[in-house]
Amino acid sequence: MIALLLASLALANDEITPLRTGSHTPFVIGSGHAAAGVLRPITLGVGEHTDLRAKNGILTLFSPHIQVKQQLTGGDGIGFAVRGGLGIPMGGLFLLNGAGFTSSDPTVKTGGAFTADAALLTGYRSDVFDIGLSVEGRFGVRGSSWTLQDPGMFLLDPALAPLTHGPQIRPRLIVEVFPKIGERPLLGLTADWMTQIGSGGPDSSLRMLASYAISRRVVLAAGEVIATETRPDGNKTFASPIADLQLRW
Amino acid sequence: MRALVLLFLFGGCTKLPTTWNEVEDFPILEDKDHGALPPVPDNLRVMTWNLKFGGGRIDFFFDGHGERVHMTEKEVEDNLQGILALIDEQDPDILMAQEVDVASARSAYVDMAQEILDRTDFNYAAWVPAWQVDFIPQDGLGPVKMGQTVFSKWPITRNTRADLPQSEESSAVVNYFWLHRCIQIVEIDLEGTPLGIVNNHPAAYALDGTKQKHLKRIFDETQRFDGLVISGGDFNVIPPGSLITEDFADSAPANVPGVSDVFYTEDEMASLEPFYEAYNAAVPIDDYQGLDAAGQAEYFSHSISGDVFWVVKLDYLFSPQTWFEAHTLQKPGDGNPPTASDPMSLSDHAPVVAVLELP
């Protein structure tokens, strides 16, 4: 990680603000730029108007999920984008089996499954804030041997929801504010609300995050996530602090 | 600054287990569709049964005999149907049940307290939690919500949970996710006559004296009732004077704490003596102690393995009133009426049913 950090700093040669990556907004990071964190999804600007994202951060190890976002209109001001994604969770679940997160029961099978999602995104960008509003449809296809039930873990459930609960619609609203300190923003404040509507839901989450650029390429982030999950015995609310170290270039 | 960091790391984090006050009241369920309540008879049929969360004879990883963790909904329903059939044929007026899951991933989130209430002749049910954790990471066990339940044909007017201390043998991490055993104290209104029920499931595995502490608390709670009371349940200890106290045939082949190399100490067994001295037991101790090993075996009510017939007696009924017609339902044909069910296939505990003479 340290080597990667130093390498990214050494390779830095442009003026991109380290805080804005267009997460869940219609705006893209820009060709040649990238962002990644321990928790934050990897985002690569693969075209002038196209981003490639490997979602779920560390959970990518367990539930690989990639998305492509194509910005249709907008620079600053109102923007529109479409996004599509594919998840292949069975490999990760196989790794998780017996590790404590999913059942080690030998009769539980997870092979042959994938999730797909498609979203419409709109939003508004100014020099000090981004607003993004998106609606995402999600569904899952599982093989005949699939017997995994709801793993009951809210951090894992959102990735597996269309497989364990059926098709879902996921509206999302994100507001990011970048107050200028000196010549450029060093601080980002994010409020990110999402809900899942569909079988097994509604489930909701609210992520509040403060990001601070300690250099042009390195961002520290800390905050809290609160999630409400519909459980068989009623709603359950979870809360957990989150912290991240992110690189931008 | 340090306080802020600690607040951030721990203060904003949801606690996975639920814990309870020393003494806490819980809701009482009523079958909304019940008609007129039956008249209170001269004698009550009382049953105690550890239902093993509807697991039947599936070999779970914690039993040391298998690898199963989670049941399908169909498996739970099949096992539950067997339990319901036995309850139906024995027709107890009161059932003191232990290990009743109401929203656990391992039992497909089936609410067994509600299911039993809805699908039997009981009209009231009272459930208290003993183990409620939002996620248990061991083998992906996941959410667990298990407790003790008293079912009754007549109105339940009180449902109190009294907390019991955890064993200090285990690590803090294990205890964080482990169950919090309790005494369930229930009062039933028998047409104006209050009946106290003390439903129990004390420590099973602890060797540090926790089991004895639990049994002492159970005895003290039972003693609080001046009038009519029944104290019973899965006491997790064998009667004093048992001829076999170790080397049980159901011992787990794998080295799993609590289920392999099980033994009972004289001190543990002596913890039951106050009950036998103060109350009438459905199976009197003099009758039990006067038997040879084969005779005592007829009262055995627990076996970890479905392949090994009952090996120990762990389940009890005590009351100041007189018991008669006590049966440990070990196999088809046992009991009055004779059971058609095979209790060996329904749980790792046999139901104990007896008739209590009312004053």
Side-chain angles (χ1 to χ4, degrees), chain A residues 98-108 147 149-153 221-225 231-233 236-243, chain B residues 8-10 12-16 18 61 67-72 102-103 105 109 132-143 145:
Chain A
F101 293 101
T102 58
S103 177
S104 64
D105 192 314
T107 67
V108 172
T147 59
Q149 304 292 316
D150 163 26
M153 187 181 185
E224 179 87 1
V225 60
R231 301 275 286 266
D233 57 332
K236 175 71 186 179
T237 300
F238 300 89
S240 176
I242 47 176
Chain B
F8 167 71
L9 286 177
F10 299 106
C13 199
T14 299
K15 205 175 150 197
L16 293 174
T18 300
F61 74 96
E67 297 178 284
R68 292 296 305 277
V69 180
H70 292 107
M71 292 181 280
T72 63
V102 295
Y109 296 102
Q132 187 172 335
V133 185
D134 287 319
F135 192 87
I136 298 177
Q138 186 182 11
D139 290 86
L141 201 51
K145 195 171 181 181

Short mmCIF file of all heavy atoms in Angstrom, two decimals, chain A residues 98-108 147 149-153 221-225 231-233 236-243, chain B residues 8-10 12-16 18 61 67-72 102-103 105 109 132-143 145:
data_model
loop_
_atom_site.label_atom_id
_atom_site.label_comp_id
_atom_site.label_asym_id
_atom_site.label_seq_id
_atom_site.Cartn_x
_atom_site.Cartn_y
_atom_site.Cartn_z
N GLY A 98 -17.27 -20.84 5.23
CA GLY A 98 -16.47 -21.31 6.34
C GLY A 98 -15.63 -20.23 6.99
O GLY A 98 -14.98 -20.47 8.00
N ALA A 99 -15.65 -19.03 6.39
CA ALA A 99 -14.86 -17.94 6.97
C ALA A 99 -15.67 -17.15 7.98
O ALA A 99 -15.18 -16.21 8.55
CB ALA A 99 -14.39 -17.00 5.86
N GLY A 100 -16.89 -17.56 8.19
CA GLY A 100 -17.70 -16.91 9.21
C GLY A 100 -18.78 -16.02 8.66
O GLY A 100 -19.73 -15.71 9.35
N PHE A 101 -18.67 -15.59 7.41
CA PHE A 101 -19.64 -14.63 6.88
C PHE A 101 -20.83 -15.30 6.20
O PHE A 101 -21.92 -14.78 6.20
CB PHE A 101 -18.96 -13.67 5.91
CG PHE A 101 -17.97 -12.78 6.59
CD1 PHE A 101 -16.63 -13.04 6.53
CD2 PHE A 101 -18.40 -11.70 7.31
CE1 PHE A 101 -15.71 -12.23 7.17
CE2 PHE A 101 -17.51 -10.87 7.97
CZ PHE A 101 -16.15 -11.14 7.89
N THR A 102 -20.58 -16.42 5.57
CA THR A 102 -21.70 -17.18 5.02
C THR A 102 -21.63 -18.60 5.56
O THR A 102 -20.63 -19.02 6.12
CB THR A 102 -21.68 -17.21 3.48
OG1 THR A 102 -20.43 -17.78 3.07
CG2 THR A 102 -21.82 -15.82 2.91
N SER A 103 -22.70 -19.32 5.38
CA SER A 103 -22.83 -20.63 6.00
C SER A 103 -21.76 -21.61 5.52
O SER A 103 -21.46 -21.69 4.33
CB SER A 103 -24.20 -21.19 5.69
OG SER A 103 -24.33 -22.46 6.23
N SER A 104 -21.20 -22.36 6.45
CA SER A 104 -20.28 -23.43 6.07
C SER A 104 -21.04 -24.74 5.89
O SER A 104 -20.43 -25.79 5.73
CB SER A 104 -19.19 -23.60 7.13
OG SER A 104 -19.76 -24.02 8.36
N ASP A 105 -22.35 -24.66 5.93
CA ASP A 105 -23.19 -25.85 5.77
C ASP A 105 -22.89 -26.51 4.41
O ASP A 105 -22.96 -25.84 3.37
CB ASP A 105 -24.66 -25.42 5.84
CG ASP A 105 -25.61 -26.59 5.97
OD1 ASP A 105 -25.44 -27.59 5.23
OD2 ASP A 105 -26.52 -26.51 6.80
N PRO A 106 -22.55 -27.80 4.41
CA PRO A 106 -22.19 -28.43 3.13
C PRO A 106 -23.36 -28.52 2.15
O PRO A 106 -23.14 -28.74 0.96
CB PRO A 106 -21.72 -29.82 3.55
CG PRO A 106 -22.28 -30.06 4.90
CD PRO A 106 -22.41 -28.72 5.54
N THR A 107 -24.57 -28.34 2.64
CA THR A 107 -25.71 -28.38 1.72
C THR A 107 -26.00 -27.03 1.08
O THR A 107 -26.84 -26.94 0.19
CB THR A 107 -26.99 -28.86 2.45
OG1 THR A 107 -27.38 -27.86 3.40
CG2 THR A 107 -26.77 -30.18 3.16
N VAL A 108 -25.32 -25.99 1.55
CA VAL A 108 -25.54 -24.66 0.97
C VAL A 108 -24.69 -24.51 -0.29
O VAL A 108 -23.47 -24.67 -0.24
CB VAL A 108 -25.21 -23.56 1.99
CG1 VAL A 108 -25.27 -22.18 1.33
CG2 VAL A 108 -26.19 -23.61 3.15
N THR A 147 -28.69 -22.49 -3.09
CA THR A 147 -29.54 -22.69 -1.90
C THR A 147 -29.22 -21.68 -0.81
O THR A 147 -29.77 -21.78 0.27
CB THR A 147 -29.36 -24.11 -1.33
OG1 THR A 147 -27.99 -24.29 -0.98
CG2 THR A 147 -29.80 -25.17 -2.30
N GLN A 149 -29.48 -18.79 1.54
CA GLN A 149 -30.53 -17.89 1.99
C GLN A 149 -29.90 -16.54 2.34
O GLN A 149 -28.69 -16.38 2.30
CB GLN A 149 -31.24 -18.49 3.21
CG GLN A 149 -31.81 -19.87 2.98
CD GLN A 149 -32.95 -19.88 2.00
OE1 GLN A 149 -33.83 -19.04 2.07
NE2 GLN A 149 -32.94 -20.83 1.07
N ASP A 150 -30.72 -15.61 2.72
CA ASP A 150 -30.27 -14.30 3.19
C ASP A 150 -29.14 -14.46 4.20
O ASP A 150 -29.33 -15.08 5.24
CB ASP A 150 -31.49 -13.62 3.82
CG ASP A 150 -31.13 -12.46 4.70
OD1 ASP A 150 -30.07 -11.87 4.48
OD2 ASP A 150 -31.93 -12.15 5.59
N PRO A 151 -27.93 -13.95 3.92
CA PRO A 151 -26.86 -14.09 4.90
C PRO A 151 -27.04 -13.21 6.12
O PRO A 151 -26.31 -13.37 7.10
CB PRO A 151 -25.60 -13.69 4.12
CG PRO A 151 -26.08 -12.83 3.03
CD PRO A 151 -27.47 -13.27 2.70
N GLY A 152 -28.01 -12.30 6.09
CA GLY A 152 -28.34 -11.54 7.29
C GLY A 152 -27.25 -10.58 7.72
O GLY A 152 -27.15 -10.24 8.87
N MET A 153 -26.44 -10.13 6.81
CA MET A 153 -25.36 -9.21 7.15
C MET A 153 -25.49 -8.00 6.24
O MET A 153 -25.30 -8.12 5.04
CB MET A 153 -24.02 -9.90 6.94
CG MET A 153 -22.84 -9.11 7.41
SD MET A 153 -21.33 -10.01 7.08
CE MET A 153 -20.17 -8.94 7.87
N ALA A 221 -10.71 9.74 4.57
CA ALA A 221 -12.15 9.90 4.72
C ALA A 221 -12.61 9.18 5.97
O ALA A 221 -12.08 8.12 6.31
CB ALA A 221 -12.87 9.35 3.49
N ALA A 222 -13.58 9.76 6.63
CA ALA A 222 -14.14 9.13 7.82
C ALA A 222 -15.59 9.54 7.96
O ALA A 222 -15.98 10.64 7.55
CB ALA A 222 -13.36 9.55 9.07
N GLY A 223 -16.38 8.66 8.51
CA GLY A 223 -17.80 8.98 8.68
C GLY A 223 -18.55 7.85 9.33
O GLY A 223 -17.98 7.03 10.05
N GLU A 224 -19.81 7.81 9.02
CA GLU A 224 -20.70 6.85 9.66
C GLU A 224 -21.70 6.35 8.63
O GLU A 224 -22.16 7.14 7.79
CB GLU A 224 -21.44 7.52 10.83
CG GLU A 224 -22.42 6.66 11.58
CD GLU A 224 -21.77 5.87 12.72
OE1 GLU A 224 -20.55 6.02 12.93
OE2 GLU A 224 -22.48 5.11 13.38
N VAL A 225 -22.00 5.07 8.68
CA VAL A 225 -23.07 4.55 7.84
C VAL A 225 -24.16 4.00 8.75
O VAL A 225 -23.88 3.33 9.74
CB VAL A 225 -22.55 3.48 6.84
CG1 VAL A 225 -21.93 2.30 7.55
CG2 VAL A 225 -23.67 3.01 5.92
N ARG A 231 -36.20 -7.12 8.36
CA ARG A 231 -35.91 -8.50 8.76
C ARG A 231 -37.22 -9.22 9.02
O ARG A 231 -38.27 -8.59 9.20
CB ARG A 231 -35.06 -8.48 10.03
CG ARG A 231 -33.74 -7.73 9.89
CD ARG A 231 -32.67 -8.62 9.32
NE ARG A 231 -32.24 -9.57 10.33
CZ ARG A 231 -31.19 -9.37 11.13
NH1 ARG A 231 -30.47 -8.28 11.02
NH2 ARG A 231 -30.84 -10.26 12.02
N PRO A 232 -37.17 -10.55 9.05
CA PRO A 232 -38.41 -11.30 9.31
C PRO A 232 -39.08 -10.90 10.62
O PRO A 232 -40.29 -11.03 10.77
CB PRO A 232 -37.92 -12.75 9.34
CG PRO A 232 -36.69 -12.76 8.52
CD PRO A 232 -36.03 -11.44 8.77
N ASP A 233 -38.30 -10.43 11.58
CA ASP A 233 -38.89 -10.06 12.87
C ASP A 233 -38.99 -8.54 13.01
O ASP A 233 -39.05 -8.03 14.11
CB ASP A 233 -38.09 -10.65 14.02
CG ASP A 233 -36.63 -10.23 13.98
OD1 ASP A 233 -36.13 -9.96 12.88
OD2 ASP A 233 -36.00 -10.15 15.04
N LYS A 236 -34.55 -3.56 11.46
CA LYS A 236 -33.37 -3.51 12.32
C LYS A 236 -32.46 -2.41 11.80
O LYS A 236 -32.19 -2.34 10.60
CB LYS A 236 -32.66 -4.86 12.31
CG LYS A 236 -31.37 -4.89 13.07
CD LYS A 236 -31.60 -4.80 14.56
CE LYS A 236 -30.27 -4.67 15.30
NZ LYS A 236 -30.47 -4.57 16.75
N THR A 237 -31.99 -1.56 12.68
CA THR A 237 -31.10 -0.49 12.27
C THR A 237 -29.68 -0.78 12.76
O THR A 237 -29.48 -1.14 13.92
CB THR A 237 -31.58 0.86 12.84
OG1 THR A 237 -32.89 1.11 12.34
CG2 THR A 237 -30.65 1.99 12.44
N PHE A 238 -28.75 -0.68 11.85
CA PHE A 238 -27.34 -0.88 12.15
C PHE A 238 -26.61 0.44 11.96
O PHE A 238 -26.98 1.24 11.12
CB PHE A 238 -26.71 -1.91 11.22
CG PHE A 238 -27.33 -3.26 11.27
CD1 PHE A 238 -28.40 -3.58 10.46
CD2 PHE A 238 -26.85 -4.23 12.13
CE1 PHE A 238 -28.98 -4.84 10.50
CE2 PHE A 238 -27.41 -5.48 12.18
CZ PHE A 238 -28.48 -5.79 11.36
N ALA A 239 -25.55 0.61 12.69
CA ALA A 239 -24.69 1.77 12.48
C ALA A 239 -23.24 1.34 12.61
O ALA A 239 -22.92 0.46 13.42
CB ALA A 239 -25.01 2.86 13.50
N SER A 240 -22.41 1.92 11.80
CA SER A 240 -21.00 1.57 11.88
C SER A 240 -20.15 2.74 11.41
O SER A 240 -20.49 3.38 10.41
CB SER A 240 -20.72 0.35 10.99
OG SER A 240 -19.33 0.07 10.99
N PRO A 241 -19.07 3.01 12.10
CA PRO A 241 -18.15 4.03 11.58
C PRO A 241 -17.42 3.49 10.35
O PRO A 241 -17.22 2.28 10.23
CB PRO A 241 -17.18 4.26 12.74
CG PRO A 241 -17.27 3.04 13.58
CD PRO A 241 -18.62 2.43 13.35
N ILE A 242 -17.07 4.39 9.45
CA ILE A 242 -16.29 3.98 8.28
C ILE A 242 -15.09 4.92 8.15
O ILE A 242 -15.18 6.10 8.50
CB ILE A 242 -17.13 3.99 6.98
CG1 ILE A 242 -17.93 5.28 6.86
CG2 ILE A 242 -18.03 2.79 6.88
CD1 ILE A 242 -18.69 5.40 5.54
N ALA A 243 -14.03 4.40 7.68
CA ALA A 243 -12.82 5.21 7.46
C ALA A 243 -12.14 4.67 6.22
O ALA A 243 -12.21 3.48 5.93
CB ALA A 243 -11.89 5.14 8.67
N PHE B 8 -15.58 7.62 17.94
CA PHE B 8 -15.76 7.31 16.52
C PHE B 8 -15.69 5.80 16.28
O PHE B 8 -16.51 5.22 15.58
CB PHE B 8 -14.69 8.03 15.71
CG PHE B 8 -14.58 7.52 14.29
CD1 PHE B 8 -15.58 7.81 13.37
CD2 PHE B 8 -13.51 6.77 13.89
CE1 PHE B 8 -15.49 7.34 12.08
CE2 PHE B 8 -13.41 6.30 12.59
CZ PHE B 8 -14.41 6.59 11.69
N LEU B 9 -14.68 5.15 16.90
CA LEU B 9 -14.46 3.73 16.64
C LEU B 9 -15.56 2.86 17.23
O LEU B 9 -15.99 1.88 16.63
CB LEU B 9 -13.11 3.30 17.20
CG LEU B 9 -11.89 3.78 16.40
CD1 LEU B 9 -10.62 3.35 17.09
CD2 LEU B 9 -11.93 3.23 14.98
N PHE B 10 -16.01 3.19 18.43
CA PHE B 10 -16.93 2.28 19.12
C PHE B 10 -18.31 2.89 19.36
O PHE B 10 -19.30 2.19 19.36
CB PHE B 10 -16.32 1.86 20.46
CG PHE B 10 -15.03 1.12 20.30
CD1 PHE B 10 -13.83 1.73 20.61
CD2 PHE B 10 -15.01 -0.16 19.79
CE1 PHE B 10 -12.63 1.06 20.44
CE2 PHE B 10 -13.81 -0.84 19.61
CZ PHE B 10 -12.61 -0.23 19.93
N GLY B 12 -20.17 4.83 17.53
CA GLY B 12 -21.10 4.83 16.42
C GLY B 12 -21.37 3.47 15.85
O GLY B 12 -21.89 3.34 14.76
N CYS B 13 -21.02 2.43 16.58
CA CYS B 13 -21.12 1.08 16.04
C CYS B 13 -22.27 0.34 16.72
O CYS B 13 -22.38 0.34 17.94
CB CYS B 13 -19.82 0.34 16.28
SG CYS B 13 -19.62 -1.08 15.22
N THR B 14 -23.11 -0.28 15.92
CA THR B 14 -24.22 -1.04 16.48
C THR B 14 -23.68 -2.27 17.21
O THR B 14 -22.81 -2.97 16.71
CB THR B 14 -25.16 -1.51 15.35
OG1 THR B 14 -25.67 -0.36 14.71
CG2 THR B 14 -26.28 -2.35 15.89
N LYS B 15 -24.23 -2.51 18.39
CA LYS B 15 -23.85 -3.70 19.16
C LYS B 15 -24.61 -4.88 18.58
O LYS B 15 -25.83 -4.83 18.46
CB LYS B 15 -24.24 -3.46 20.62
CG LYS B 15 -23.47 -4.24 21.62
CD LYS B 15 -23.87 -3.80 23.01
CE LYS B 15 -23.73 -4.96 23.96
NZ LYS B 15 -24.45 -4.75 25.20
N LEU B 16 -23.91 -5.92 18.21
CA LEU B 16 -24.59 -7.05 17.56
C LEU B 16 -25.48 -7.85 18.51
O LEU B 16 -26.58 -8.23 18.15
CB LEU B 16 -23.55 -7.96 16.89
CG LEU B 16 -22.83 -7.34 15.69
CD1 LEU B 16 -21.73 -8.25 15.20
CD2 LEU B 16 -23.81 -7.05 14.58
N THR B 18 -28.06 -8.49 21.68
CA THR B 18 -29.00 -7.79 22.54
C THR B 18 -28.84 -8.34 23.95
O THR B 18 -28.73 -9.56 24.14
CB THR B 18 -30.45 -8.02 22.07
OG1 THR B 18 -30.56 -7.54 20.73
CG2 THR B 18 -31.44 -7.28 22.95
N PHE B 61 -23.17 -28.66 13.31
CA PHE B 61 -21.72 -28.62 13.58
C PHE B 61 -21.43 -28.53 15.06
O PHE B 61 -20.46 -29.09 15.55
CB PHE B 61 -21.07 -27.46 12.81
CG PHE B 61 -21.36 -26.09 13.37
CD1 PHE B 61 -20.47 -25.49 14.24
CD2 PHE B 61 -22.52 -25.41 13.04
CE1 PHE B 61 -20.73 -24.23 14.76
CE2 PHE B 61 -22.79 -24.16 13.56
CZ PHE B 61 -21.90 -23.57 14.42
N GLU B 67 -22.11 -31.44 10.12
CA GLU B 67 -21.58 -30.16 9.60
C GLU B 67 -22.67 -29.17 9.27
O GLU B 67 -22.38 -28.09 8.76
CB GLU B 67 -20.78 -30.43 8.32
CG GLU B 67 -19.56 -31.30 8.52
CD GLU B 67 -18.85 -31.56 7.20
OE1 GLU B 67 -19.35 -32.38 6.41
OE2 GLU B 67 -17.82 -30.91 6.96
N ARG B 68 -23.93 -29.53 9.52
CA ARG B 68 -25.02 -28.64 9.12
C ARG B 68 -25.02 -27.36 9.96
O ARG B 68 -24.66 -27.35 11.14
CB ARG B 68 -26.37 -29.35 9.25
CG ARG B 68 -26.57 -30.50 8.26
CD ARG B 68 -26.61 -30.03 6.82
NE ARG B 68 -27.61 -29.00 6.60
CZ ARG B 68 -28.90 -29.24 6.38
NH1 ARG B 68 -29.34 -30.49 6.33
NH2 ARG B 68 -29.74 -28.25 6.18
N VAL B 69 -25.43 -26.26 9.31
CA VAL B 69 -25.52 -24.95 9.97
C VAL B 69 -26.93 -24.38 9.84
O VAL B 69 -27.52 -23.92 10.81
CB VAL B 69 -24.51 -23.96 9.37
CG1 VAL B 69 -24.60 -22.60 10.07
CG2 VAL B 69 -23.09 -24.51 9.47
N HIS B 70 -27.44 -24.43 8.61
CA HIS B 70 -28.72 -23.80 8.31
C HIS B 70 -29.71 -24.82 7.74
O HIS B 70 -29.37 -25.58 6.84
CB HIS B 70 -28.54 -22.66 7.30
CG HIS B 70 -27.79 -21.50 7.86
ND1 HIS B 70 -26.51 -21.21 7.50
CD2 HIS B 70 -28.14 -20.59 8.77
CE1 HIS B 70 -26.10 -20.14 8.17
NE2 HIS B 70 -27.07 -19.75 8.96
N MET B 71 -30.93 -24.76 8.24
CA MET B 71 -32.00 -25.61 7.69
C MET B 71 -32.75 -24.84 6.62
O MET B 71 -32.83 -23.62 6.66
CB MET B 71 -32.98 -26.00 8.80
CG MET B 71 -32.39 -26.92 9.84
SD MET B 71 -33.63 -27.36 11.09
CE MET B 71 -33.61 -25.90 12.13
N THR B 72 -33.32 -25.59 5.69
CA THR B 72 -34.23 -24.97 4.75
C THR B 72 -35.59 -24.80 5.44
O THR B 72 -35.87 -25.46 6.46
CB THR B 72 -34.42 -25.84 3.50
OG1 THR B 72 -35.03 -27.06 3.90
CG2 THR B 72 -33.09 -26.13 2.83
N VAL B 102 -37.40 -17.88 17.10
CA VAL B 102 -38.48 -17.06 16.54
C VAL B 102 -38.03 -16.25 15.32
O VAL B 102 -38.88 -15.79 14.55
CB VAL B 102 -39.09 -16.11 17.59
CG1 VAL B 102 -39.79 -16.91 18.69
CG2 VAL B 102 -38.07 -15.18 18.17
N ALA B 103 -36.73 -16.08 15.13
CA ALA B 103 -36.24 -15.36 13.94
C ALA B 103 -34.75 -15.63 13.79
O ALA B 103 -33.94 -14.72 13.90
CB ALA B 103 -36.52 -13.87 14.04
N ALA B 105 -31.61 -17.38 11.42
CA ALA B 105 -31.26 -17.85 10.08
C ALA B 105 -31.15 -19.37 10.04
O ALA B 105 -31.51 -20.00 9.06
CB ALA B 105 -29.95 -17.21 9.63
N TYR B 109 -35.79 -18.52 9.77
CA TYR B 109 -36.56 -17.40 10.33
C TYR B 109 -38.01 -17.78 10.71
O TYR B 109 -38.87 -16.91 10.81
CB TYR B 109 -36.57 -16.21 9.37
CG TYR B 109 -35.21 -15.61 9.13
CD1 TYR B 109 -34.51 -15.87 7.96
CD2 TYR B 109 -34.61 -14.81 10.09
CE1 TYR B 109 -33.25 -15.34 7.75
CE2 TYR B 109 -33.35 -14.27 9.89
CZ TYR B 109 -32.68 -14.53 8.72
OH TYR B 109 -31.43 -14.01 8.51
N GLN B 132 -29.98 -13.54 21.45
CA GLN B 132 -30.42 -12.65 20.38
C GLN B 132 -29.21 -11.87 19.88
O GLN B 132 -28.77 -10.91 20.52
CB GLN B 132 -31.53 -11.72 20.88
CG GLN B 132 -32.16 -10.89 19.77
CD GLN B 132 -33.38 -10.12 20.24
OE1 GLN B 132 -34.04 -10.50 21.20
NE2 GLN B 132 -33.69 -9.04 19.57
N VAL B 133 -28.70 -12.30 18.76
CA VAL B 133 -27.50 -11.67 18.19
C VAL B 133 -27.79 -11.40 16.71
O VAL B 133 -28.30 -12.28 16.00
CB VAL B 133 -26.27 -12.58 18.33
CG1 VAL B 133 -25.01 -11.86 17.83
CG2 VAL B 133 -26.07 -13.04 19.77
N ASP B 134 -27.47 -10.20 16.26
CA ASP B 134 -27.79 -9.84 14.88
C ASP B 134 -26.94 -10.57 13.85
O ASP B 134 -27.37 -10.76 12.72
CB ASP B 134 -27.64 -8.32 14.68
CG ASP B 134 -28.78 -7.58 15.34
OD1 ASP B 134 -29.91 -8.06 15.24
OD2 ASP B 134 -28.52 -6.56 15.99
N PHE B 135 -25.75 -10.94 14.25
CA PHE B 135 -24.94 -11.74 13.32
C PHE B 135 -23.88 -12.48 14.12
O PHE B 135 -23.06 -11.86 14.79
CB PHE B 135 -24.29 -10.89 12.23
CG PHE B 135 -23.72 -11.72 11.12
CD1 PHE B 135 -24.50 -12.11 10.05
CD2 PHE B 135 -22.40 -12.16 11.17
CE1 PHE B 135 -23.98 -12.91 9.04
CE2 PHE B 135 -21.87 -12.96 10.17
CZ PHE B 135 -22.67 -13.33 9.09
N ILE B 136 -23.89 -13.82 14.02
CA ILE B 136 -22.85 -14.63 14.65
C ILE B 136 -21.95 -15.15 13.54
O ILE B 136 -22.40 -15.87 12.66
CB ILE B 136 -23.46 -15.80 15.45
CG1 ILE B 136 -24.34 -15.25 16.58
CG2 ILE B 136 -22.36 -16.70 16.01
CD1 ILE B 136 -25.04 -16.31 17.39
N PRO B 137 -20.67 -14.76 13.56
CA PRO B 137 -19.81 -15.12 12.43
C PRO B 137 -19.36 -16.58 12.42
O PRO B 137 -18.86 -17.04 11.42
CB PRO B 137 -18.62 -14.17 12.58
CG PRO B 137 -18.61 -13.77 14.01
CD PRO B 137 -20.02 -13.84 14.50
N GLN B 138 -19.54 -17.32 13.49
CA GLN B 138 -19.04 -18.70 13.48
C GLN B 138 -19.80 -19.54 12.45
O GLN B 138 -21.01 -19.71 12.54
CB GLN B 138 -19.18 -19.35 14.86
CG GLN B 138 -18.52 -20.73 14.92
CD GLN B 138 -18.69 -21.41 16.25
OE1 GLN B 138 -19.45 -20.99 17.10
NE2 GLN B 138 -17.96 -22.49 16.44
N ASP B 139 -19.07 -20.06 11.49
CA ASP B 139 -19.64 -20.90 10.42
C ASP B 139 -20.80 -20.20 9.69
O ASP B 139 -21.67 -20.86 9.14
CB ASP B 139 -20.12 -22.24 10.99
CG ASP B 139 -18.94 -23.10 11.40
OD1 ASP B 139 -18.46 -22.94 12.54
OD2 ASP B 139 -18.48 -23.90 10.57
N GLY B 140 -20.81 -18.88 9.75
CA GLY B 140 -21.87 -18.14 9.06
C GLY B 140 -23.23 -18.33 9.69
O GLY B 140 -24.25 -18.21 9.01
N LEU B 141 -23.26 -18.63 10.99
CA LEU B 141 -24.53 -18.88 11.68
C LEU B 141 -25.52 -17.73 11.46
O LEU B 141 -26.71 -17.95 11.29
CB LEU B 141 -24.26 -19.08 13.17
CG LEU B 141 -25.26 -19.81 14.03
CD1 LEU B 141 -25.66 -21.15 13.44
CD2 LEU B 141 -24.69 -20.02 15.43
N GLY B 142 -25.02 -16.51 11.45
CA GLY B 142 -25.86 -15.36 11.15
C GLY B 142 -26.75 -14.95 12.31
O GLY B 142 -26.41 -15.17 13.47
N PRO B 143 -27.91 -14.36 12.01
CA PRO B 143 -28.79 -13.89 13.08
C PRO B 143 -29.41 -15.04 13.87
O PRO B 143 -29.85 -16.03 13.29
CB PRO B 143 -29.89 -13.12 12.32
CG PRO B 143 -29.31 -12.85 10.97
CD PRO B 143 -28.38 -13.97 10.68
N LYS B 145 -32.18 -15.73 17.16
CA LYS B 145 -33.14 -15.22 18.14
C LYS B 145 -33.87 -16.41 18.74
O LYS B 145 -34.81 -16.94 18.15
CB LYS B 145 -34.11 -14.24 17.46
CG LYS B 145 -34.90 -13.37 18.44
CD LYS B 145 -35.66 -12.30 17.69
CE LYS B 145 -36.45 -11.40 18.62
NZ LYS B 145 -37.20 -10.36 17.88
#
